């Protein structure tokens, strides 16, 4: 009698649930939502509200709106690719077609090929009123640069596609990620064509993303002067209090119990840096899974240490692996400072000639390891890099 009878009288489903609770513990009540992987959509895009407003307004206006031409810049892991993903979603919600490319190899050919397929799809759709001229166009080679004839085809195909989309009251968004790796000739071709489409009042949007130095070079070199009119959106770390709020909400929704001061400690440890937000969140969740949904101070400490270690391995050590001995000497000389370093101090500390220091300064800026903060000063562009170098003098 008693407990056993009560138990046997329960439905099979309830029994299974009870057994599950006894074996597994009650919480978290869902699976780990954190995504510490490049480009992966996080559970909550923190601190980016309003950034796509101008773009969305542009989608409604259709053609020539300033928000339709944008460039996201920021340090590694700051969330550029995630913002491009958010732009794709907004564009699709407005019925726009999206071509998303990464600036490796010959991306113009790949964009051309995708435009050709989209045009074909629209032509197969009886809604279209226009006679399609672009369809005689054969596929684009996606392994070599466009020949002059293919450049003409590319533009004509673009015009055909955009006119078809325009008839339907939508348009085309092209995004190119990692433009720091891009072939300048291809970028110039893309920019020239897009400028031409805009002049023809065709509904085109173009968004680039890349490391700050590459973007400023690109704009200054005159490769694509019309891009200077683009809306340049610099992404920075999120506010720690927004991270704190997001963690609080995410853990509460999964019945994970954690003291407010521990949430705060974890949020502070992220420095608002998106990749660390995901890493530390991910490890907190793992700890909660191991400890029946409760996060003690020790567990939070382990999660923070685990997140920081992973960031060091994935971001910092990978970045340093590509740096030369002389690059590292420069970086170590910088790591002595808690604030941006002056060129004069680096010359003094390394004992190198000013011209050599200037050369390495530029190399490191191009590599995305440091950034100029004005007045001849430089700072680390990757969060945690300075601390890492201080901890590891032989790195
Ligand atoms: N606003 C955000 N809020 C929370 N997490 C974010 C946010 N933006 C990006 N992340 C997370 O940060 C990590 C890095 O994002 P992403 O890959 O977009 O950065 P990136 O700037 O493109 O980096 P890279 O320069 O290496 O290409 C991912 O794990 C992503 O889920
Ligand atoms: Mg990226």
């Amino acid at each position: 009698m008693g407990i056993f009878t009560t138990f046997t009288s329960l439905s099979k489903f309830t029994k299974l649930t009870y057994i599950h609770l006894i074996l597994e513990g009650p919480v978290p009540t869902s699976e780990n939502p954190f995504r510490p992987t490049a480009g992966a959509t996080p559970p909550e895009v923190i601190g980016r509200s309003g950034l796509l407003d101008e773009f969305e307004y542009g989608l409604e206006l259709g053609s020539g709106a300033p928000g339709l031409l944008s460039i996201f810049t920021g340090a590694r892991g700051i969330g550029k690719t995630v913002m491009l993903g958010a732009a794709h979603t907004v564009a699709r919600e407005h019925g726009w077609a999206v071509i998303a490319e990464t600036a490796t190899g010959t991306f113009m050919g790949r964009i051309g090929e995708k435009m050709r397929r989209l045009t074909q799809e629209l032509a197969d759709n009886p809604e279209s009123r226009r006679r399609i001229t672009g369809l005689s166009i054969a596929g684009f080679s996606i392994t070599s640069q466009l020949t002059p004839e293919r450049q003409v085809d590319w533009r004509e195909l673009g015009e055909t596609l955009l006119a078809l989309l325009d008839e339907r009251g939508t348009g085309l968004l092209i995004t190119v990620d990692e433009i720091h790796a891009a072939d300048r000739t291809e970028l110039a071709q893309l920019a020239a064509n897009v400028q031409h489409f805009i002049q023809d009042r065709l509904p085109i949007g173009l968004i680039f993303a890349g490391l700050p130095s590459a973007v400023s070079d690109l704009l200054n070199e005159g490769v694509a002067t019309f891009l200077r009119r683009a809306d340049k959106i610099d992404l920075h770390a999120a506010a720690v209090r927004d991270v704190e709020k997001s963690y609080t909400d995410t853990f509460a929704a999964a019945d994970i119990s954690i003291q407010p001061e521990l949430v705060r400690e974890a949020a502070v440890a992220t420095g608002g840096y998106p990749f660390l937000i995901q890493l530390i969140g991910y490890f907190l969740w793992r700890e909660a899974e191991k400890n029946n949904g409760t996060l003690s101070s020790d567990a939070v400490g382990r999660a923070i240490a685990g997140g920081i270690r992973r960031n060091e391995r994935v971001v910092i050590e990978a970045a340093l692996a590509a740096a030369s001995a002389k690059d590292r000497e420069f970086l170590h000389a910088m790591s002595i400072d808690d604030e941006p370093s002056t060129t004069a101090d680096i010359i003094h500390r390394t004992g190198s000639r000013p011209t050599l220091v200037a050369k390495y300064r530029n190399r490191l800026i191009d590599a995305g390891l440091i950034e100029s903060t004005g007045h001849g000063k430089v700072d680390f562009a990757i969060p945690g890099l300075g601390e890492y170098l201080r901890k590891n003098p032989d790195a």
Side-chain angles (χ1 to χ4, degrees):
M1 286 297 279
I3 272 184
F4 191 68
T5 331
T6 317
F7 187 78
T8 47
S9 63
L10 294 172
S11 75
K12 190 173 164 213
F13 175 77
T14 318
K15 270 184 237 165
L16 282 176
T17 313
Y18 267 92
I19 291 166
H20 179 79
L21 289 184
I22 293 161
L23 295 178
E24 304 279 336
V27 278
T29 51
S30 48
E31 70 175 27
N32 198 329
F34 292 100
R35 291 291 174 269
T37 311
T41 303
E44 185 185 352
V45 179
I46 304 171
R48 303 288 186 242
S49 64
L51 286 188
L52 288 176
D53 285 358
E54 206 61 33
F55 171 67
E56 191 161 7
Y57 184 60
L59 292 172
E60 282 154 23
L61 289 185
S63 172
L68 287 180
L69 190 59
S70 297
I71 305 183
F72 288 113
T73 71
R76 288 188 197 285
I78 205 75
K80 299 178 291 294
T81 303
V82 163
M83 284 310 291
L84 288 182
H88 300 156
T89 305
V90 173
R92 290 198 180 100
E93 279 166 9
H94 283 73
W96 280 48
V98 174
I99 293 180
E101 267 302 334
T102 300
T104 49
T106 52
F107 57 91
M108 280 297 278
R110 296 199 299 270
I111 294 175
E113 191 48 36
K114 287 179 182 170
M115 290 200 307
R116 197 182 62 78
R117 276 191 235 138
L118 279 171
T119 311
Q120 180 82 56
E121 273 170 36
L122 289 175
D124 292 345
N125 180 338
E127 251 183 69
S128 129
R129 281 179 272 132
R130 181 175 294 259
R131 198 174 66 83
I132 295 173
T133 52
L135 282 188
S136 57
I137 292 179
F140 287 86
S141 162
I142 54 174
T143 51
S144 50
Q145 286 199 340
L146 301 179
T147 59
E149 305 84 69
R150 300 309 272 149
Q151 286 181 40
V152 175
D153 290 344
W154 198 103
R155 178 173 292 188
E156 280 177 1
L157 180 60
E159 284 166 355
T160 307
L161 173 60
L162 289 168
L164 286 170
L165 290 166
D166 200 20
E167 281 178 1
R168 289 164 164 76
T170 68
L172 172 69
L173 170 67
I174 298 177
T175 68
V176 185
D177 201 357
E178 305 198 1
I179 59 160
H180 41 268
D183 178 315
R184 294 295 156 96
T185 318
E186 297 241 324
L187 272 181
Q189 279 174 11
L190 178 60
N193 282 309
V194 167
Q195 179 172 27
H196 173 90
F197 297 150
I198 293 173
Q199 279 161 356
D200 281 356
R201 309 183 68 82
L202 291 167
I204 180 83
L206 178 67
I207 309 186
F208 284 148
L211 296 173
S213 55
V215 169
S216 50
D217 276 4
L218 183 75
L219 300 186
N220 294 333
E221 269 175 16
V223 175
T225 34
F226 115 102
L227 287 176
R228 288 195 199 146
R229 273 182 268 143
D231 196 1
K232 195 159 143 304
I233 303 173
D234 288 317
L235 298 176
H236 297 284
V240 167
R241 65 175 180 285
D242 291 345
V243 179
E244 189 180 348
K245 169 147 190 347
S246 176
Y247 276 171
T248 305
D249 296 347
T250 305
F251 293 133
D255 288 330
I256 291 173
S257 121
I258 174 170
Q259 298 293 320
E261 57 274 18
L262 292 178
V263 177
R264 173 144 191 87
E265 186 186 330
V268 168
T270 69
Y273 176 56
F275 189 46
L276 268 177
I277 299 173
Q278 298 309 310
L279 277 173
I280 291 178
Y282 175 86
F283 283 115
L284 285 169
W285 195 282
R286 298 271 287 142
E287 289 290 339
E289 281 172 345
K290 287 183 213 153
N291 299 291
N292 289 335
T294 302
L295 284 166
S296 66
S297 172
D298 282 353
V300 170
R302 282 193 298 274
I304 292 174
I308 289 176
R309 242 189 343 267
R310 185 71 70 89
N311 181 54
E312 287 177 353
R313 275 213 307 279
V314 176
V315 181
I316 297 180
E317 288 173 8
L320 285 176
S324 71
K326 197 79 194 162
D327 288 331
R328 289 171 210 211
E329 191 189 341
F330 189 114
L331 294 170
H332 276 292
M334 280 177 66
S335 74
I336 294 171
D337 299 308
D338 278 330
E339 46 197 36
S341 311
T342 64
T343 308
D345 278 340
I346 296 166
I347 292 170
H348 178 71
R349 288 170 194 162
T350 58
S352 302
R353 289 193 316 278
T355 45
L356 200 63
V357 167
K359 177 179 151 200
Y360 280 93
R361 179 180 182 277
N362 290 339
R363 265 171 63 95
L364 289 165
I365 290 179
D366 284 345
L369 283 166
I370 65 172
E371 59 197 4
S372 161
T373 57
H375 308 293
K377 289 187 181 177
V378 283
D379 200 0
F380 293 109
I382 302 179
L385 178 54
E387 292 80 33
Y388 180 85
L389 291 165
R390 280 196 286 273
K391 262 193 309 189
N392 300 279
D394 298 327

